[in-house]
Amino acid sequence: MNIWLRIFLFSAVLLVVFLGIAITVDNWQFRTSSKTATGEILSIREGIGSREDQDGFAKTEISHYPKVRFKSLRGNIYDVEVAHPIQAPIPKIGDRISIRYEVANPEYVRDEKGLFYDWLIGGAVTAIGLIFLLISFIFTRREVPEI
């Protein structure tokens, strides 16, 4: 196998592994520097985007960003929009949802999806990258001629 093809293959696979590790480290840092709270939904902003599907048709995607009111551990009340869109089922205004906020910066809030979900994405990307790395090592090894 050509050396440049090997370099490209291993670079792409290692990029996936490092991406998975970066996602995992980001989630870990956020979870260790944040606390959970219950937030009351004040309003919901819809973000509308579009992309092409496999057939070339435009597909409209709607993301929902709720604005929540919560009380921090220090007793301060904050009205903040959640940083990442929430997934279905979309709660209604006035409902209470579990959130996670940074202690040092209570203006940064994420929807609390649970420990399993936080580690699932980063762990899955890392695992897939490691599997492809193992497959790359197996299929690109050099054949040793017999004497």
Side-chain angles (χ1 to χ4, degrees):
M1 180 177 263
N2 186 350
I3 188 71
W4 292 110
L5 184 59
R6 283 186 187 171
I7 290 172
F8 175 75
L9 178 67
F10 283 110
S11 298
V13 170
L14 287 174
L15 182 65
V16 172
V17 171
F18 289 130
L19 179 66
I21 292 171
I23 292 170
T24 304
V25 168
D26 178 57
N27 283 333
W28 174 71
Q29 286 178 339
F30 180 73
R31 288 194 73 84
T32 57
S33 67
S34 65
K35 299 290 181 190
T36 58
T38 301
E40 179 185 356
I41 297 180
L42 302 175
S43 64
I44 298 177
R45 179 179 64 86
E46 291 183 346
I48 300 174
S50 66
R51 65 177 177 88
E52 277 190 21
D53 63 4
Q54 296 173 354
D55 300 327
F57 294 105
K59 181 178 180 180
T60 303
E61 296 176 340
I62 300 175
S63 303
H64 297 88
Y65 298 89
K67 184 175 186 176
V68 296
R69 175 178 288 148
F70 70 96
K71 189 175 187 179
S72 70
L73 287 176
R74 295 181 178 161
N76 299 332
I77 296 177
Y78 295 95
D79 294 345
V80 181
E81 185 176 286
V82 175
H84 299 283
I86 57 173
Q87 305 300 322
I90 306 302
K92 296 177 179 65
I93 294 174
D95 287 352
R96 296 191 171 277
I97 61 171
S98 182
I99 59 166
R100 187 168 275 278
Y101 69 95
E102 277 189 351
V103 175
N105 180 17
E107 298 289 323
Y108 185 71
V109 175
R110 289 185 188 176
D111 182 24
E112 172 62 36
K113 295 181 178 110
L115 185 66
F116 177 73
Y117 184 83
D118 281 348
W119 296 103
L120 179 68
I121 295 173
V125 172
T126 304
I128 289 170
L130 290 174
I131 289 169
F132 279 116
L133 183 66
L134 179 66
I135 291 170
S136 299
F137 276 125
I138 291 171
F139 286 111
T140 62
R141 68 174 189 254
R142 292 184 181 184
E143 297 291 328
V144 178
E146 293 185 26
I147 300 178

